[in-house]
Amino acid sequence: MSATPQLSVIIPVYNEELNLPTLFARLYPVLDATGRRYEVIFTNDGSADHSIDLLRAQHAARPDVTRVIDFNANYGQHMAIMAAFERVRGEVIVTLDADLQNPPEEIPKLLAKIDAGHDCVGSYRLNRRDSFFRTYASKIINCVRKHTTSIEMTDQGCMLRAYRRPIVDAIVRTGAINTFIPALAYSFSSNPTEVGVKHEERHAGVSNYSFYALIRLNFDLITGFSLAPLQYFTMFAGLCAAGSFLLVLVLAYMRVFMHDDTNGVFTLFGILFFLISVAMIGIGLIGEYVGRTYQVVRARQRYHVKEMLETKA
Ligand code: UDP
Ligand code: MG
């Protein structure tokens, strides 16, 4: 690469052989038209199809602006982006999906916001083209996120985003494993904004996210940014303990003052409920500490790069 690029575009690729040719044909002209020095970093996230061959060919065709990180296995979209973040050379970084759901033609809109002084530009899908289930599931998770974390985001699922370099460097320094990059970026930003972008149906192929993978991803989002689930659990246990303590009092009163002996077995229940609730509080509290420990202990090699295709800087 001749001079340091101003713009780095990052694209995670997992089984996208049907989309890559169109992506190349649409993306590079858009970037050429920006008039900025740029690089495109593709991370091949352990694709089982011919994606890597297409990426190789693209690297051979545009070696000046194309870099390819080839993972040995599938580590997930966010880790694929993270690996590219660790290697970016540009001052402005844009992330984009390979399936053309976010049109590359929208990139200049985000760059305009960066030029206007924002350090983190999110996006929301103007006319979402996903299944009914996906659209509603993400509405629900948006709502949960709003109430459990302090992250403000209209549409967390849209990965067409732009960041200034210091934000990306801060994300890299966290060394996070199970993370949600847009949320992490938001937490480091001092001047975030959002733009509406067009959304298209997947150009070809099917979504790489199964129902289970979506649940895992959203679980990472909630647990990675908040201890609220644990705290709610402890509060619930506290309420149970208070309720069963009241029950014990009522039963004891009836027994001593009303001489109502028919409730013996219920007294036992009352005491049992109380003790169980106390045990639940204990579990909740241990959970709090395990949760906090988990937040600091996560340290292991997160991915393995099999090969790097790039021209030395
Ligand atoms: N992706 C990836 N690794 C994975 C799953 C997905 O790199 O394990 C990439 C995929 O190639 C695409 C982007 O992440 O570029 C978004 O994936 P997808 O379109 O399947 O997700 P959806 O749009 O359905 O949320
Ligand atoms: Mg998609």
Side-chain angles (χ1 to χ4, degrees):
M1 240 150 275
S2 43
T4 324
Q6 297 157 305
L7 171 67
S8 297
V9 177
I10 289 175
I11 307 177
V13 176
Y14 181 57
N15 296 341
E16 301 283 7
E17 64 180 1
L18 297 175
N19 295 318
L20 287 176
T22 319
L23 174 70
F24 299 151
R26 282 173 58 180
L27 174 68
Y28 284 74
V30 169
L31 298 179
D32 288 329
T34 62
R36 306 181 193 218
R37 291 190 306 277
Y38 69 88
E39 63 174 3
V40 187
I41 311 181
F42 295 96
T43 306
N44 176 41
D45 187 17
S47 299
D49 65 0
H50 296 292
S51 295
I52 188 64
D53 302 327
L54 296 172
L55 293 173
R56 261 180 219 290
Q58 182 62 18
H59 176 253
R62 296 293 302 270
D64 52 331
V65 290
T66 309
R67 298 165 71 193
V68 180
I69 302 169
D70 188 18
F71 278 178
N72 70 316
N74 180 243
Y75 292 92
Q77 178 185 1
H78 289 255
M79 204 44 72
I81 294 175
M82 203 64 122
F85 274 2
E86 289 176 357
R87 293 162 174 80
V88 285
R89 296 173 180 152
E91 281 311 310
V92 176
I93 292 93
V94 170
T95 56
L96 179 73
D97 283 351
D99 60 0
L100 295 159
Q101 284 200 278
N102 312 128
E105 292 77 14
E106 299 286 69
I107 291 176
K109 254 195 208 173
L110 280 80
L111 295 180
K113 287 284 180 193
I114 291 276
D115 292 344
H118 296 281
D119 56 359
C120 174
V121 185
S123 64
Y124 49 91
R125 296 167 272 201
L126 286 174
N127 51 335
R128 185 150 180 195
R129 306 296 293 275
D130 266 323
S131 67
F132 177 82
F133 164 72
R134 281 292 295 267
T135 310
Y136 276 85
S138 89
K139 280 205 164 89
I140 294 171
I141 200 71
N142 262 321
C143 175
V144 174
R145 189 218 58 239
K146 210 183 276 173
H147 290 101
T148 54
T149 71
S150 56
I151 292 158
E152 299 277 338
M153 211 176 272
T154 313
D155 184 0
Q156 65 204 24
C158 194
M159 286 306 283
L160 176 55
R161 291 170 186 274
Y163 312 106
R164 283 189 172 276
R165 181 66 173 272
I167 302 285
V168 167
D169 289 343
I171 293 175
V172 168
R173 276 196 300 275
T174 64
I177 299 172
N178 299 310
T179 195
F180 199 80
I181 286 167
L184 208 51
Y186 180 88
S187 66
F188 293 132
S189 165
S190 41
N191 190 7
T193 187
E194 292 189 331
V195 287
V197 293
K198 281 197 214 111
H199 192 233
E200 293 174 7
E201 271 176 48
R202 212 170 206 289
H203 179 255
V206 291
S207 169
N208 291 306
Y209 277 103
S210 62
F211 181 59
Y212 173 73
L214 276 178
I215 292 183
R216 289 275 350 133
L217 181 72
N218 287 299
F219 204 70
D220 288 344
L221 171 64
I222 303 301
T223 56
F225 290 87
S226 131
L227 292 176
L230 291 171
Q231 283 154 354
Y232 286 148
F233 182 76
T234 317
M235 274 187 260
F236 174 69
L239 282 180
C240 287
S244 40
F245 183 64
L246 277 182
L247 183 63
V248 172
L249 283 186
V250 170
L251 292 172
Y253 175 83
M254 287 176 70
R255 192 154 199 181
V256 174
F257 295 104
M258 316 289 279
H259 302 291
D260 180 359
D261 282 343
T262 53
N263 281 331
V265 68
F266 292 108
T267 313
L268 205 61
F269 266 127
I271 295 169
L272 205 62
F273 284 162
F274 178 67
L275 290 178
I276 292 176
S277 308
V278 171
M280 277 170 69
I281 294 182
I283 295 174
L285 279 177
I286 293 171
E288 299 269 356
Y289 288 104
V290 173
R292 279 165 221 265
T293 314
Y294 169 64
Q295 284 186 322
V296 287
V297 164
R298 297 178 273 201
R300 90 178 83 105
Q301 199 197 355
R302 300 170 300 163
Y303 59 82
H304 178 66
V305 176
K306 194 167 71 177
E307 191 186 358
M308 252 336 277
L309 298 178
E310 66 183 358
T311 315
K312 291 279 168 276

